[in-house]
Amino acid sequence: MINFIVNFAFLVILSTMVASLFIKLTGLPFWSGALVLVSFAVVLYGLNIVLMRHYIEKYVPGFLEVDAALLLPEKGQNCLWEATAGTGIVPKWVSWVGMGAIACIVGSCIWLAVWLWS
């Protein structure tokens, strides 16, 4: 758990550094760094979804079509595709892409807090 927290903090710091360099190079106002981070988060989240679907379809063909044909699960239950978690179908680095999206959102919140309090 400590490793996860340290890695997540590293991703938050890295994302804010990239946004800071982008703002410095382009000359945009400081507040637009939050928009850059949110935009990057959207791109990473979309990439995460595409990669997950790709690997599930690659290693278990037809699985996503079966899941789409089923009714939505009751509250508290999981979709069928979520049963693939931890089975090794989707590589761990794909999860890092998704975690990077969340880190960018946290980084944008920190960015806005710094902007509002300075």
Side-chain angles (χ1 to χ4, degrees):
M1 183 66 164
I2 293 291
N3 189 25
F4 173 77
I5 293 170
V6 170
N7 289 333
F8 185 75
F10 175 74
L11 285 175
V12 171
I13 292 167
L14 183 66
S15 66
T16 53
M17 286 175 61
V18 168
S20 178
L21 287 172
F22 181 78
I23 295 303
K24 184 178 180 181
L25 291 174
T26 59
L28 293 171
F30 184 80
W31 60 267
S32 62
L35 295 177
V36 169
L37 285 168
V38 169
S39 301
F40 195 53
V42 169
V43 168
L44 286 176
Y45 184 71
L47 180 64
N48 185 35
I49 291 172
V50 168
L51 287 171
M52 281 193 307
R53 292 183 62 84
H54 167 74
Y55 280 107
I56 290 173
E57 190 61 37
K58 180 179 177 181
Y59 292 112
V60 190
F63 191 74
L64 294 174
E65 286 81 16
V66 170
D67 186 44
L70 296 174
L71 295 174
L72 291 175
E74 300 277 330
K75 187 171 183 161
Q77 295 178 345
N78 294 334
C79 292
L80 185 59
W81 70 268
E82 291 174 311
T84 63
T87 60
I89 293 173
V90 178
K92 286 187 178 184
W93 65 268
V94 174
S95 299
W96 278 87
V97 173
M99 194 165 76
I102 297 170
C104 285
I105 295 295
V106 171
S108 69
C109 292
I110 293 170
W111 191 282
L112 286 176
V114 168
W115 176 61
L116 291 173
W117 280 309
S118 62

